[in-house]
Amino acid sequence: MGMLINIDNGGTLTDICVLKDNNFYTTKTLTTPYDLSKCFFDGLKDVSKAVYGQEDLARLLAEVDHIRYSTTQGTNAIVERKGPKLGMVINKGNAKLIDLMQEKDPDLFKFLVGDRIEEIDLADLNDEESATETTTSITRLTSRGANRIVICFDNDGATDYESQFKRIAFNNYPRHLLGAVPMLFASELAEDVSTSRRGWTALVNSFLHPAMESFLYNAENRLREYRTKNPLLIFRNDGDASRVAKTIALKTYSSGPRGGMEGVKEFSKQYKLKNVISMDIGGTTTDIGQVIDNTVSESRRGAVEGVPTSFGLCEISSPGVGGSSIFSVNGKNIKVGPESVGAVPGPASFGRGGKESTMTDVNLLMGLLDPQTFFGGGLKLDIDRARAAIDENIASPLGISADEALVKLRDAYDKKVSDEMIKFADISDDTALLAFGGAGPMSACGIADKAGIKTVFIPKTAAVFSAFGIGSCDIGQSYSVVLSDFTSKTLEAAYANLAEKAQRDMFAEGYSNGDYEVSSQIVSIKNNVETSHKLTSKPSFPQALSGSDSAILEFSARKKLKVESNQQAGIPKGSIATKTSVRSIFGDNQEWNDLSVYQVDKMKPGNHGAGPAVIEDEYFTCLVRQGWAFVVTELGDICLTKGVE
């Protein structure tokens, strides 16, 4: 395999990692939410300097085999409740569907849809005069502010009725007219016996689609100008990648964090870790996942903010707390997030017009961040602006000094993340915390203390760990269909149809039949319990499943790109680490203390030391708290332990 480029687009920073000739090169750039293609190409230009010694974007794009892209934009939009307003069309007498959907998450349903719901009589779809009248439901929804519309019927013929509605709607609202409104038909998006799940899947997909589509197609078109060998690949939450035209928007939800989970899985193998909780702190969210016995926690009915969808997704919690999350005062309490200032305007210390207080400002004022070397020296931080924001927004409302506010803000932030971690994951004595992302290492020890975790790992690629993790993905597609009956004849026909779809899609990815692997299974449902049965290339319906309430055929095609590594790493303790400098840090006692600073690139495997201390890389900083010790592993990662000298 030749050169590979992995890009992880976050709310505040965009990470780029290039894998070439067994070497990797990295860079970061500020995310530009007003035009995501700008940070996309800015990052590629910057990383070309690392690869070639000078900027040469054309050469980089001419030589790269695959560019794989992941994003947290969808996650951030839902967390921050920012995006299009949706309308929903259902069949009359089906208010129970709305009730079922609202039960899952009334707040999210209210944000996405609210009262923008229309009911139509399905019998009218067969009468031309009445059918035309039913399309006025679209007008009523748009007049109430709907930007996009989801059609989801709940009956045995839902697919056929939705097709009828589609024909009538497009006859009256042709898509080439300016007044046309985008419509998504739930049955076309997902095969699912649960209508409420199908409805939620359609709503979330419709919400995420416009932002993903506009940026990704724009980026792909610009890449074509450089004559890249292969189309841009979108890394999905299910762990595989596919070209833009074959990617479902919902599967980009938490795709960046899923890249991190692939890296966590490999990391846990290398160090023989049985129970690993991952903590990826970015600018807008903290993405929390868990790997037990080298297995990423996944769900066949993946959830978005706790709402189950029709697609399999990785189990990741993404609370709205990150380095750019806004601190505010609620009475005498400090509130953390979920609102974020992102990269624009950014934290007050960025000097870009932001006036809100964030954890980035706190870490700067506590001395943990060096205003001159932050972001590799590419972004100078303004201490005076940070202090003014905290004094105005936090200290004054609470009636305390700015110094007192710093400790309270840090503790509130650590507690918020640790509470979310305890809520999501099972923590035991053998649990290790893997902290990464630009802000993860800074708070790792404090959060671990509050969560009762005594072992923390900081990977040497912590700053771009999710982008690095994307490098282990394959190219693939997955399909499913609800079987109309439980006969082998029906199964064979459905299998042949999905195999043909896979062949077309994989050909579009550049692979012919035989170049990729296929797998399939039947998922039967009886009394709401799902049972899976693997199939061979000559499928026949298992007699044991003939008494099921329903059955779904699932089919996947995958071109393997990743190479499994059996590399094992030890953590031997050698010589004491040599400090490179001293930095004054504001401590729990509200006094300034001189701490040793250790540069990651100056340390060797076996080097060790004890906190309080600071470990620093070009793009991340780790505070080793009092009572914690560190050692550099054989692979150059950092292992922190509580109560071990």
Side-chain angles (χ1 to χ4, degrees):
M1 185 60 64
M3 186 194 300
L4 300 173
I5 298 177
N6 304 327
I7 301 174
D8 178 29
N9 167 244
T12 303
L13 299 174
T14 294
D15 304 337
I16 297 95
C17 178
V18 175
L19 308 174
K20 181 177 185 289
D21 300 330
N22 295 321
N23 295 316
F24 67 90
Y25 308 86
T26 64
T27 193
K28 283 178 173 284
T29 186
L30 288 172
T31 294
T32 49
Y34 52 87
D35 180 5
L36 290 177
S37 62
K38 183 179 187 308
C39 56
F40 182 91
F41 283 94
D42 283 350
L44 290 174
K45 289 176 183 177
D46 286 345
V47 84
S48 72
K49 297 177 188 176
V51 175
Y52 303 120
Q54 60 182 9
E55 184 180 307
D56 196 337
L57 178 60
R59 181 182 174 188
L60 183 78
L61 295 180
E63 293 183 355
V64 66
D65 277 0
H66 292 291
I67 301 177
R68 294 176 283 195
Y69 177 91
S70 70
T71 180
T72 58
Q73 293 301 320
T75 310
N76 296 345
I78 290 178
V79 166
E80 296 185 84
R81 299 294 193 259
K82 295 178 181 177
K85 295 179 179 179
L86 307 180
M88 196 169 183
V89 178
I90 62 172
N91 47 304
K92 273 189 177 176
N94 194 26
K96 64 178 182 180
L97 172 61
I98 301 301
D99 292 339
L100 283 172
M101 294 179 68
Q102 287 180 321
E103 282 177 8
K104 297 297 182 182
D105 191 328
D107 175 64
L108 184 58
F109 190 88
K110 181 180 179 181
F111 163 68
L112 293 175
V113 181
D115 62 354
R116 293 181 295 276
I117 301 168
E118 285 288 324
E119 297 185 22
I120 65 165
D121 191 335
L122 296 183
D124 289 346
L125 296 177
N126 295 315
D127 180 82
E128 189 171 332
E129 186 175 331
S130 299
T132 302
E133 190 65 26
T134 64
T135 57
T136 59
S137 60
I138 298 173
T139 303
R140 288 193 292 269
L141 288 173
T142 56
S143 67
R144 296 207 295 274
N147 306 118
R148 305 175 71 84
I149 295 174
V150 167
I151 294 86
C152 184
F153 298 148
D154 184 16
N155 65 1
D156 292 337
T159 300
D160 292 335
Y161 281 118
E162 287 179 21
S163 295
Q164 285 180 276
F165 187 92
K166 179 178 182 180
R167 175 179 55 80
I168 296 166
F170 287 164
N171 281 343
N172 289 273
Y173 294 89
R175 283 174 284 186
H176 63 271
L177 295 181
L178 291 174
V181 58
M183 285 178 271
L184 190 151
F185 299 84
S187 294
E188 290 184 350
L189 177 65
E191 288 272 355
D192 197 332
V193 295
S194 168
T195 307
S196 63
R197 237 179 2 231
R198 188 155 41 87
W200 268 115
T201 302
L203 286 177
V204 175
N205 191 81
S206 190
F207 176 81
L208 297 177
H209 191 276
M212 294 296 99
E213 179 187 44
S214 60
F215 157 63
L216 293 175
Y217 273 107
N218 183 34
E220 189 172 56
N221 288 335
R222 287 187 62 184
L223 287 172
R224 284 198 190 104
E225 296 174 7
Y226 288 93
R227 304 190 180 208
T228 51
K229 297 176 188 176
N230 294 299
L232 175 65
L233 293 175
I234 310 306
F235 180 73
R236 308 187 307 256
N237 188 301
D238 60 10
D240 289 332
S242 55
R243 57 197 293 252
V244 177
K246 293 297 179 181
T247 299
I248 294 172
L250 186 146
K251 291 189 177 183
T252 68
Y253 178 81
S254 281
S255 64
R258 175 58 193 262
M261 296 310 297
E262 292 298 314
V264 175
K265 181 172 69 175
E266 293 303 312
F267 196 95
S268 65
K269 289 179 183 177
Q270 290 174 344
Y271 291 98
K272 298 181 180 179
L273 303 174
K274 295 295 184 181
N275 183 352
V276 182
I277 295 176
S278 62
M279 179 182 74
D280 177 3
I281 302 184
T284 305
T285 61
T286 292
D287 301 308
I288 302 167
Q290 189 164 28
V291 171
I292 297 177
D293 293 330
N294 304 329
T295 302
V296 177
S297 298
E298 298 180 9
S299 172
R300 288 196 65 260
R301 305 299 181 187
V304 173
E305 290 208 343
V307 174
T309 70
S310 302
F311 299 125
L313 300 173
C314 180
E315 293 183 0
I316 295 172
S317 175
S318 299
V321 51
S324 293
S325 295
I326 297 172
F327 284 121
S328 57
V329 173
N330 182 11
K332 290 297 182 182
N333 298 317
I334 293 173
K335 182 172 177 283
V336 188
E339 301 82 10
S340 170
V341 293
V344 180
S349 55
F350 278 19
R352 297 186 170 198
K355 295 183 179 180
E356 303 290 352
S357 307
T358 70
M359 194 61 201
T360 299
D361 301 310
V362 172
N363 283 327
L364 173 65
L365 291 174
M366 295 188 85
L368 187 55
L369 295 177
D370 185 335
Q372 301 302 314
T373 62
F374 180 75
F375 199 57
L379 179 62
K380 302 296 187 292
L381 298 182
D382 191 319
I383 293 177
D384 292 335
R385 290 179 186 271
R387 183 170 292 279
I390 287 175
D391 189 40
E392 179 180 347
N393 299 321
I394 308 298
S396 294
L398 289 177
I400 60 177
S401 69
D403 285 348
E404 289 178 287
L406 292 178
V407 176
K408 286 184 176 293
L409 290 170
R410 185 202 60 190
D411 289 347
Y413 180 90
D414 289 353
K415 186 176 188 305
K416 172 73 172 176
V417 178
S418 67
D419 285 349
E420 294 288 348
M421 191 178 293
I422 292 168
K423 189 192 325 181
F424 174 81
D426 294 325
I427 297 175
S428 59
D429 290 341
D430 65 350
T431 298
L433 174 63
L434 185 58
F436 50 93
M442 278 187 276
S443 304
C445 290
I447 293 168
D449 274 336
K450 285 181 166 52
I453 298 173
K454 297 184 178 180
T455 301
V456 174
F457 282 90
I458 311 292
K460 63 182 177 183
T461 56
V464 294
F465 193 74
S466 290
F468 191 72
I470 296 169
S472 62
C473 80
D474 299 323
I475 296 175
Q477 289 288 352
S478 299
Y479 314 86
S480 66
V481 62
V482 178
L483 298 174
S484 58
D485 59 49
F486 302 157
T487 65
S488 292
K489 182 178 179 180
T490 297
L491 174 61
E492 289 170 7
Y495 183 96
N497 181 50
L498 296 187
E500 184 179 347
K501 284 184 179 180
Q503 186 172 348
R504 288 197 304 267
D505 290 345
M506 293 305 287
F507 183 78
E509 301 285 5
Y511 302 104
S512 301
N513 193 17
D515 292 340
Y516 54 87
E517 300 175 359
V518 299
S519 61
S520 60
Q521 65 178 4
I522 291 177
V523 178
S524 68
I525 300 100
K526 186 171 184 178
N527 298 326
N528 294 321
V529 177
E530 294 187 346
T531 303
S532 299
H533 178 86
K534 298 287 184 182
L535 295 174
T536 65
S537 57
K538 292 184 178 180
S540 61
F541 199 91
Q543 191 65 33
L545 302 183
S546 59
S548 303
D549 298 327
S550 60
I552 299 173
L553 169 62
E554 296 183 341
F555 187 99
S556 67
R558 183 169 292 104
K559 172 62 180 178
K560 283 203 160 290
L561 296 181
K562 60 187 175 187
V563 178
E564 298 292 339
S565 172
N566 295 317
Q567 188 178 29
Q568 297 291 311
I571 315 175
K573 187 178 289 187
S575 59
I576 296 175
T578 302
K579 65 182 179 184
T580 53
S581 62
V582 173
R583 186 174 303 164
S584 189
I585 303 293
F586 192 75
D588 294 345
N589 57 1
Q590 297 185 33
E591 294 181 359
W592 291 90
N593 307 284
D594 289 338
L595 304 187
S596 298
V597 178
Y598 302 91
Q599 292 288 342
V600 173
D601 60 355
K602 302 292 185 184
M603 293 194 291
K604 297 179 180 179
N607 284 173
H608 62 92
V614 174
I615 299 175
E616 199 162 61
D617 181 69
E618 183 179 13
Y619 290 116
F620 77 78
T621 301
C622 173
L623 175 62
V624 184
R625 300 281 285 268
Q626 182 73 43
W628 287 79
F630 71 87
V631 60
V632 181
T633 74
E634 289 179 338
L635 296 179
D637 304 307
I638 299 164
C639 178
L640 303 163
T641 50
K642 177 70 178 289
V644 178
E645 292 296 332

